[in-house]
Amino acid sequence: MRRTLLVVMGLAILFSCVSAEAQNKIFKKKKKEAPAATDNSVAPDKVLYDRALVDIKKGRHEVGRLNLQTLINTYPGQRVSGQG
């Protein structure tokens, strides 16, 4: 019992001293990739429309509505703004 406690405490001290970068290598955590919205090939009005739909589907209705309102105000002549 005492030996197990010493081993656990030793490992806790060891990992608290190891940097976060080294811990990531030990546990092989992958960094999150940037979202696809940063891709410049996608039209900004389409990105705003897609974000609004995602917000609405996830239950964030107010945020989705505001995104659609921004879309309509920013791009009044666009084909996508008529769908909002």
Side-chain angles (χ1 to χ4, degrees):
M1 176 73 176
R2 187 173 183 181
R3 184 175 180 176
T4 306
L5 181 62
L6 288 174
V7 169
V8 170
M9 294 206 40
L11 288 174
I13 292 171
L14 176 69
F15 281 119
S16 66
C17 296
V18 176
S19 69
E21 184 177 330
Q23 287 180 6
N24 286 341
K25 288 182 181 178
I26 291 171
F27 295 112
K28 298 181 182 175
K29 292 183 182 177
K30 293 183 179 179
K31 291 184 179 180
K32 293 183 179 178
E33 294 181 12
T38 59
D39 186 16
N40 291 334
S41 65
V42 179
D45 56 342
K46 178 68 173 153
V47 172
L48 195 56
Y49 179 75
D50 290 340
R51 285 183 186 170
L53 288 183
V54 168
D55 287 333
I56 291 170
K57 286 178 183 177
K58 288 191 175 186
R60 298 184 299 242
H61 301 289
E62 187 67 22
V63 176
R65 185 192 65 79
L66 289 172
N67 282 337
L68 287 174
Q69 188 65 43
T70 303
L71 174 69
I72 291 168
N73 291 340
T74 306
Y75 304 101
Q78 294 292 328
R79 174 180 56 92
V80 178
S81 65
Q83 296 175 2

